[in-house]
């Protein structure tokens, strides 16, 4: 095994050893980096920006954030467009995925008042990327809901599809002439399960088994509405593509027993299938096993009908097929074990699923034990998507690892080299159409409830410095050389 630190030196000194251990990237595999608006922009109340649900949570409930920090300044990217674009260009990356802050361009949520200073910021960012040969990939929603809409129920209110459509029209009208790759919504699971059930992400509600299912239904209907809006009113003129990004963890059976195999499949449906199945399968509805287990538990609790709200036939038809590609976020994998039903009591999605989830302590661990390196899990996910959701273009829209080290992040280097190898296996052996490998993240950012305690970035950011100085890490050098040579080491 080659030490990860040696690998970087190996690249930087132009392959001073045996070239036969190198593997070439396909010509059409795009290398990219990513960020999101709240996590990097700062300027939380500058130039007419409105309040988001994350602004409200970090200011009123600071104990929800591990280091009690905020995204008020974050990386100060609102004031560093040219500098940040230069960081991307200097690595030779071809794409940059970022999100638009809904309350920055519509400070009151509704489209009756457009904040042109916010529009100007994104125009300048898009133009600077294009001028430097970098393709912008824009996410419409990366969790920055205007606070006013949360006070009306947020993602549990069916009217959110109408509110979102107003916002999307403004975005397409102002930026669609230059943006050709769109993502409607980033990580529905995190929005619904973490925000409305687990009490961790904004708006930090804890109504598991009810609010998260209402949220899931409305996320899918909203996504479909925006997809059709773009298809019907913009795509023929603007010539772009549009899809959704879903974070998928591979769920491996804990044992070879039939019960655990079924539990692993059930875990996949409760984890990502409830969002992918309605869009990417002919059924166009929530997975059958997902519906069955919730309905059975609901009846056992004395409910007259399932806590999972259903789709009408017309809604199913409307959701089915609403993606030009599959957007995948992958970080790690888990084991899934079947368990006995919980005693009847307060409902939750965990009780509905009847699954125990855990990780292998021997897997390489990052700065947080949630994040472990499981390359074979990524290959399994890629094959699963192809076999279950269709042989379409697949964009890895996020993949990353938080190292303990601020600068010499050799674990991150090994993580990416190992995962790039399985991406090549999936492309060449499994014939999966992987078209993009997007590193999370361009730089260290405000990592939601972990604040600034986790660093996924290719650049370290000094958050104690008013200038928010960016310093390259080993992983930055790895990706620079990767982009230059288009090769990875086969085994390290």
């Amino acid at each position: 095994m080659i030490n990860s630190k040696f690998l970087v030196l190996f690249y930087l000194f132009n392959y001073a050893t045996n070239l036969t251990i190198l593997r070439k990237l396909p010509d059409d595999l795009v290398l990219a980096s990513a960020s999101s608006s709240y996590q990097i922009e700062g300027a939380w109340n500058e130039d007419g920006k409105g309040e988001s649900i994350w602004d409200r949570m970090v200011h009123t409930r600071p104990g929800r954030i591990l280091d009690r920090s905020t995204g008020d300044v974050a990386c100060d990217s609102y004031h560093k467009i040219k500098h940040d674009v230069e960081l991307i260009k200097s690595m030779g990356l071809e794409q940059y995925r970022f999100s638009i802050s809904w309350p920055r361009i519509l400070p009151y949520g509704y489209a009756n008042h457009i904040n042109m200073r916010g529009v100007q910021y994104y125009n300048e960012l898009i133009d600077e990327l294009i001028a430097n040969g970098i393709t912008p990939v824009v996410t419409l929603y990366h969790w920055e809901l205007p606070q006013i809409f949360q006070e009306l129920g947020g993602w549990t209110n069916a009217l959110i599809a109408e509110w979102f459509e107003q916002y999307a029209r403004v975005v397409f009208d102002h930026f669609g002439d230059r943006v050709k790759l769109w993502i409607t919504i980033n990580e529905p699971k995190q929005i619904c399960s973490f925000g409305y059930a687990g009490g961790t992400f904004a708006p930090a509600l804890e109504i598991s088994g009810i609010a998260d299912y209402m949220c899931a239904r409305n996320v899918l209907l909203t996504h479909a509405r925006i997809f059709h809006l773009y298809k019907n009113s913009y795509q023929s003129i603007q010539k772009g593509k549009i899809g959704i990004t879903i974070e998928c963890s591979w769920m491996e059976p804990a044992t070879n027993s039939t019960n655990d195999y079924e539990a692993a499949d059930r875990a996949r449906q409760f984890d990502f299938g409830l969002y992918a199945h309605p869009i990417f399968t002919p059924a166009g509805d929530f997975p059958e096993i997902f519906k069955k287990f919730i309905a059975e538990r609901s009846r056992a609790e004395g409910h007259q009908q399932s806590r999972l709200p259903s789709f009408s036939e017309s809604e199913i038809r409307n959701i089915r097929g609403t993606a030009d590609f599959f957007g995948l976020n992958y970080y790690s994998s888990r084991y899934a074990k079947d368990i006995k039903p919980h005693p009847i009591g307060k409902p939750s999605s965990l009780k509905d699923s009847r699954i125990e989830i855990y990780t292998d302590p021997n897997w390489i661990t990052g700065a947080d034990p949630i994040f472990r390196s499981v390359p074979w899990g990524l290959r399994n996910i890629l094959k699963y998507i192809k076999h279950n959701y269709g042989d379409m273009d697949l964009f890895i829209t996020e993949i990353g690892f938080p190292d303990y080290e601020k600068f010499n992040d050799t674990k991150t280097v090994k993580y990416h080299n190992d995962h790039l190898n399985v991406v090549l296996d999936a492309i060449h052996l499994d014939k999966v159409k992987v078209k993009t490998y997007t590193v999370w993240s361009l730089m260290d950012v405000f990592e939601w409830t972990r604040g600034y305690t986790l660093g996924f970035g290719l650049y370290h950011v000094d958050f104690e410095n008013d200038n928010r100085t960016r310093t390259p890490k080993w992983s930055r050098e790895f990706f620079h050389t990767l982009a230059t040579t288009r090769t990875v080491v086969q085994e390290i």
Side-chain angles (χ1 to χ4, degrees), residues 41-338:
E41 287 177 4
W44 81 275
N45 61 353
E46 287 187 42
D47 291 344
K49 178 184 172 294
E51 184 184 26
S52 75
I53 56 175
W54 275 92
D55 293 321
R56 176 64 62 91
M57 189 173 86
V58 299
H59 293 151
T60 62
R61 306 169 81 177
R64 294 276 178 173
I65 311 302
L66 185 60
D67 58 2
R68 303 181 72 86
S69 61
T70 75
D72 289 0
V73 179
C75 304
D76 199 28
S77 289
Y78 186 76
H79 301 109
K80 296 180 179 294
I81 291 175
K82 289 184 179 294
H83 181 66
D84 288 350
V85 172
E86 178 55 34
L87 298 183
I88 305 167
K89 181 181 180 181
S90 71
M91 282 187 285
L93 301 183
E94 303 162 81
Q95 284 185 357
Y96 179 53
R97 178 187 170 216
F98 64 95
S99 69
I100 290 177
S101 168
W102 185 341
R104 191 176 295 284
I105 64 172
L106 299 180
Y108 307 111
Y110 297 97
N112 62 316
H113 174 72
I114 300 173
N115 178 25
M116 294 309 297
R117 286 173 293 185
V119 171
Q120 179 183 351
Y121 165 70
Y122 293 111
N123 272 327
E124 291 177 2
L125 174 56
I126 291 166
D127 289 345
E128 187 69 15
L129 288 166
I130 293 172
N132 284 276
I134 301 163
T135 300
V137 180
V138 175
T139 302
L140 291 172
Y141 186 81
H142 201 129
W143 312 348
E144 275 201 271
L145 185 69
Q147 176 61 31
I148 185 175
F149 291 146
Q150 185 54 47
E151 293 168 10
L152 298 174
W155 284 99
T156 64
N157 188 331
L159 288 174
I160 196 165
E162 296 181 18
W163 305 332
F164 202 120
E165 182 180 358
Q166 292 181 29
Y167 160 62
R169 284 186 183 276
V170 172
V171 174
F172 294 148
D173 286 342
H174 284 88
F175 312 124
D177 59 326
R178 287 151 293 156
V179 175
K180 305 306 175 185
L181 288 172
W182 296 98
I183 294 164
T184 56
I185 296 168
N186 179 76
E187 297 184 342
K189 176 178 67 179
Q190 282 71 6
I191 297 168
C192 298
S193 296
F194 295 9
Y196 289 83
T200 50
F201 287 2
L205 300 182
E206 300 180 58
I207 317 175
S208 183
I210 299 174
D212 45 346
Y213 298 154
M214 296 169 66
C215 171
R217 183 180 189 277
N218 288 333
V219 161
L220 286 162
L221 290 170
T222 300
H223 159 76
R225 185 163 180 154
I226 305 312
F227 176 87
H228 291 298
L229 168 67
Y230 188 75
K231 284 285 186 181
N232 296 333
S233 300
Y234 295 94
Q235 195 170 50
S236 63
I237 300 170
Q238 297 182 353
K239 310 298 184 183
K241 294 182 178 181
I242 188 166
I244 190 170
T245 279
I246 303 171
E247 187 266 315
C248 304
S249 296
W250 176 250
M251 301 295 180
E252 183 74 4
T255 70
N256 290 327
S257 72
T258 299
N259 284 350
D260 284 350
Y261 266 85
E262 292 176 352
D265 178 67
R266 196 161 67 246
R268 294 176 208 129
Q269 306 313 326
F270 272 82
D271 182 74
F272 58 84
L274 73 159
Y275 302 106
H277 199 272
I279 297 171
F280 295 102
T281 72
D285 195 0
F286 290 126
E288 286 301 318
I289 196 68
F290 179 71
K291 295 192 294 183
K292 177 178 182 288
F293 268 65
I294 298 170
E296 289 179 352
R297 181 76 185 185
S298 297
R299 284 194 296 272
E301 293 167 346
H303 292 279
Q304 294 183 2
Q305 59 187 26
S306 176
R307 286 180 275 101
L308 176 67
S310 61
F311 292 114
S312 68
E313 286 300 319
S314 63
E315 288 171 337
I316 288 172
R317 290 193 298 272
N318 194 52
I319 295 170
R320 184 191 299 128
T322 53
D324 293 326
F325 53 84
F326 193 106
L328 168 68
N329 289 358
Y330 176 84
Y331 288 90
S332 192
S333 295
R334 310 281 188 270
Y335 282 108
K337 181 179 179 61
D338 184 60

Side-chain angles (χ1 to χ4, degrees), residues 339-357:
I339 60 174
K340 295 179 180 179
H342 291 80
I344 298 300
K346 184 178 180 181
S348 76
S349 58
L350 176 64
K351 295 175 183 177
D352 290 335
S353 66
R354 280 182 35 208
I355 302 163
E356 178 187 344
I357 302 294

